[in-house]
């Protein structure tokens, strides 16, 4: 007799490096974290989709750098969705995952519920990555405009401008889970 296996609701981040092609990356799936974040709010589906994508981007970037304290992602626009903000706090021990929180601010009566691309609800604005390594350090900030039609394109633009690395970002999400992958061509290699 086959027994049904309950899917795990764990968060996973898997780093990888393809040595023969000089590519590194991270693959993540966020179930528990995303459910914890979204269950604290009553966001419309358009807002939930952007919060999920921003949370995945934050996890991917936070795990990519040697973070000692906190990474923040701020997405601000002049559309009905005004702000998507996330914070990633570095793990206290090696091998552990960091913690993430996320928040959105929006004008619900002005949301276009029929819009197929939630990104369009942001309008014009910026995508900012802020890295704070703790006391006695200078915070870093990288800011790019909201362009490209999606948050993953904004993340790729951020990497191209701040780290000058060829970077591809993929995101997928639904009401209960989100996943993403980042791949980077290591410096000194042809793209």
């Amino acid at each position: 007799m086959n027994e049904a296996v309950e899917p795990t609701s764990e968060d996973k981040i898997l780093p990888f490096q393809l040595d023969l092609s000089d590519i590194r990356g991270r693959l993540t799936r966020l179930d528990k974290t995303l459910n914890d974040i979204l269950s604290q709010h009553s966001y419309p589906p358009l807002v939930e989709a952007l919060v999920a994508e921003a949370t995945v981007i934050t996890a991917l970037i936070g795990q990519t750098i040697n973070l000692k304290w906190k990474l923040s992602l701020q997405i601000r626009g002049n559309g009905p969705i005004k702000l998507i903000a996330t914070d990633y706090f570095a793990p206290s021990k090696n091998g552990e995952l960091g913690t993430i929180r996320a928040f959105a601010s929006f004008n619900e009566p002005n949301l276009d519920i029929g819009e197929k691309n939630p990104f369009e609800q942001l309008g014009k604005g910026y995508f900012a990555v802020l890295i704070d390594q703790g006391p006695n350090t200078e915070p870093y900030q990288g800011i790019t405009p909201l362009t490209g039609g999606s948050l993953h394109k904004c993340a790729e633009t951020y990497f191209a401008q701040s780290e000058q690395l060829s970077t591809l970002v993929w995101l997928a999400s639904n009401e209960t889970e989100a996943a993403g992958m980042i791949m980077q061509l290591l410096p000194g290699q042809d793209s």
Side-chain angles (χ1 to χ4, degrees):
M1 178 167 98
N2 291 335
E3 292 185 36
V5 176
E6 187 69 27
T8 63
S9 62
E10 295 179 16
D11 299 332
K12 306 234 186 283
I13 297 179
L14 175 66
F16 62 88
Q17 184 158 334
L18 307 174
D19 293 329
L20 296 178
S21 60
D22 295 310
I23 291 175
R24 71 175 179 194
R26 296 268 190 280
L27 179 63
T28 188
R29 179 176 161 182
L30 301 178
D31 297 334
K32 182 179 181 332
T33 295
L34 185 61
N35 286 323
D36 289 349
I37 289 168
L38 295 179
S39 69
Q40 296 174 36
H41 307 281
S42 182
Y43 294 140
L46 287 169
V47 177
E48 278 189 351
L50 289 175
V51 169
E53 289 183 7
T55 302
V56 168
I57 291 170
T58 302
L60 288 169
I61 296 173
Q63 282 287 308
T64 300
I65 60 176
N66 184 19
L67 188 65
K68 293 177 179 60
W69 191 49
K70 180 175 85 168
L71 175 136
S72 299
L73 178 64
Q74 291 184 9
I75 302 152
R76 291 189 179 267
N78 65 359
I81 300 177
K82 304 288 183 198
L83 171 70
I84 306 289
T86 62
D87 290 316
Y88 174 91
F89 296 93
S92 56
K93 297 178 185 171
N94 284 341
E96 292 182 355
L97 295 177
T99 57
I100 300 175
R101 64 182 179 185
F103 170 80
S105 175
F106 57 97
N107 185 335
E108 190 160 10
N110 292 343
L111 285 174
D112 180 359
I113 303 302
E115 175 63 55
K116 300 289 187 217
N117 182 358
F119 183 83
E120 297 299 321
Q121 300 291 301
L122 289 164
K124 294 182 180 182
Y126 64 84
F127 177 100
V129 175
L130 307 134
I131 300 171
D132 189 341
Q133 295 286 34
N136 303 317
T137 64
E138 264 319 291
Y140 162 83
Q141 63 180 3
I143 300 174
T144 62
L146 289 177
T147 59
S150 66
L151 289 184
H152 77 270
K153 289 294 185 188
C154 291
E156 290 174 359
T157 301
Y158 160 75
F159 279 104
Q161 290 179 353
S162 68
E163 294 190 16
Q164 292 87 41
L165 290 178
S166 295
T167 302
L168 295 174
V169 179
W170 292 273
L171 303 171
S173 66
N174 62 30
E175 297 80 24
T176 60
E177 61 190 4
M181 182 170 63
I182 186 171
M183 289 178 49
Q184 297 177 309
L185 187 61
L186 296 173
Q189 307 305 318
D190 295 329
S191 37

